[in-house]
């Protein structure tokens, strides 16, 4: 299997088949000639079980896999149903564009609400809090946490996809409001977020220019970053240690 010369190679990183990997496979399959071989590299173990049945349903031939350097190499021979593949890819893209994230929230106690989303739930406290300790995170902490967590998770995934060896990724965040007293009803003013500063620390011995390029790619693709940048002074910094 290791002697196969593929016509097209792409890295799926640590995505699983339910997280957009199939869409990427279809996209790269369209760039592979009929009867040509696509090599997909992955670090996600569930792909080994999910890829072969998908190939059968999509009309492609699953050839097998071989271990690579920290990843698994999967080989797929493209079938001759080009029109069907084009239609499937167009359908997948359209469904992705229309996808809606849904959740519901319910007040479930003193200064507490429960959020229900997909197969899980989590509890959230008041909008903002000055207490040193609270039973539940505040809404602002969830918002800031979503920004920080989305960047660290995506950055780690993007580094893996680019074969960048990373020992650790950590991000610190500070945020301020324009007027927290307006939020508390103590005076008139603007209660919106004024400024958010994030500093991401990555421990790696890899090429600094390449690491920074991947970080910029991560930032550019972040839905939360793109949204906050429209209304907030958002400062994002990278430190390589």
């Amino acid at each position: 299997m290791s002697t196969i010369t593929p016509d097209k190679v792409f890295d799926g990183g640590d995505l699983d088949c339910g997280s957009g990997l199939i869409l990427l496979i279809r996209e790269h399959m369209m760039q592979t000639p009929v009867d040509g071989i696509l090599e997909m590299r992955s670090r996600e173990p569930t792909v080994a079980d999910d890829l072969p049945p998908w190939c059968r349903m999509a009309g492609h031939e699953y050839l097998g896999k071989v271990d690579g350097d920290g990843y698994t190499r999967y080989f797929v021979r493209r079938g001759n149903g080009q029109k069907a593949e084009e239609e499937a890819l167009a359908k997948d893209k359209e469904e992705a564009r229309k996808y809606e994230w849904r959740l519901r929230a319910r007040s479930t106690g003193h200064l507490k609400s429960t959020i229900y989303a997909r197969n899980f739930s989590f509890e959230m406290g008041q909008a903002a809090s000055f207490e040193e300790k609270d039973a539940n995170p505040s809404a602002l902490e969830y918002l800031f946490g979503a920004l920080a967590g989305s960047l660290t998770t995506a950055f780690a995934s993007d580094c893996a996809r680019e074969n960048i060896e990373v020992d650790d990724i950590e991000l610190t965040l500070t945020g301020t409001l324009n007027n927290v007293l307006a939020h508390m009803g103590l005076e008139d003013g603007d209660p919106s977020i004024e400024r958010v500063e994030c500093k991401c620390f990555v421990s790696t011995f890899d090429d600094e220019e390449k690491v920074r390029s991947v970080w910029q790619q991560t930032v550019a693709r972040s839905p939360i970053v793109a949204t906050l940048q429209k209304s907030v002074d958002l400062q994002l910094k990278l430190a390589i240690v």
Side-chain angles (χ1 to χ4, degrees):
M1 193 67 62
S2 59
T3 61
I4 291 178
T5 301
D7 297 276
K8 177 73 177 178
V9 179
F10 90 98
D11 197 319
D14 54 4
L15 291 175
D16 59 36
C17 290
S19 300
L21 180 60
I22 292 299
L23 182 59
L24 293 176
I25 293 174
R26 287 194 191 278
E27 180 75 27
H28 287 87
M29 192 66 76
M30 291 301 301
Q31 302 169 25
T32 305
V34 174
D35 291 330
I37 297 175
L38 172 69
E39 176 185 334
M40 192 272 293
R41 299 177 178 180
S42 175
R43 294 159 186 80
E44 169 54 45
T46 61
V47 172
D49 295 325
D50 296 340
L51 185 59
W54 178 83
C55 289
R56 290 193 295 271
M57 290 187 295
H60 304 299
E61 182 184 358
Y62 175 72
L63 300 177
K65 64 179 182 176
V66 65
D67 290 337
D69 185 13
Y71 54 84
T72 302
R73 303 169 64 195
Y74 296 90
F75 299 94
V76 180
R77 187 185 304 279
R78 180 180 171 180
N80 57 11
Q82 180 167 347
K83 183 177 180 180
E85 189 67 28
E86 290 175 349
E87 291 175 350
L89 177 59
K91 181 180 178 181
D92 284 353
K93 287 184 175 180
E94 187 62 25
E95 289 179 352
R97 291 189 185 99
K98 293 180 178 179
Y99 188 84
E100 296 179 337
W101 284 263
R102 300 185 181 188
L103 56 79
R104 61 187 178 91
R106 183 181 182 188
S107 176
T108 51
H110 177 62
L111 297 179
K112 182 179 75 172
S113 290
T114 302
I115 314 300
Y116 303 91
R118 290 191 293 163
N119 60 316
F120 55 85
S121 63
F122 55 92
E123 294 180 342
M124 184 179 72
Q126 53 192 315
S129 177
F130 304 108
E131 293 288 346
E132 185 65 27
K133 294 183 179 181
D134 267 325
N136 301 292
S138 69
L140 279 173
E141 287 165 329
Y142 268 114
L143 176 60
F144 292 148
L147 169 63
S150 68
L151 286 173
T152 52
T153 299
F155 188 35
S157 181
D158 290 343
C159 284
R161 192 175 294 116
E162 295 297 329
N163 293 317
I164 295 175
E165 294 283 344
V166 171
D167 295 323
D168 191 24
I169 295 175
E170 185 171 332
L171 187 147
T172 61
L173 181 150
T174 57
T176 58
L177 302 184
N178 282 291
N179 189 345
V180 70
L181 297 181
H183 159 65
M184 299 171 68
L186 297 177
E187 62 182 47
D188 294 333
D190 179 7
S192 67
I193 298 170
E194 177 188 29
R195 176 183 174 87
V196 178
E197 182 172 337
C198 299
K199 190 167 186 179
C200 183
F201 298 87
V202 56
S203 176
T204 179
F205 292 103
D206 219 309
D207 180 69
E208 180 173 335
E209 184 177 345
K210 183 178 180 181
V211 174
R212 292 191 179 279
S213 176
V214 173
W215 167 250
Q216 292 301 322
Q217 171 187 287
T218 299
V219 169
R221 292 178 178 177
S222 168
I224 299 179
V225 168
T227 301
L228 289 178
Q229 281 178 331
K230 295 177 181 179
S231 58
V232 174
D233 180 11
L234 182 58
Q235 302 293 322
L236 301 171
K237 302 176 182 179
L238 179 68
I240 301 174
V241 296

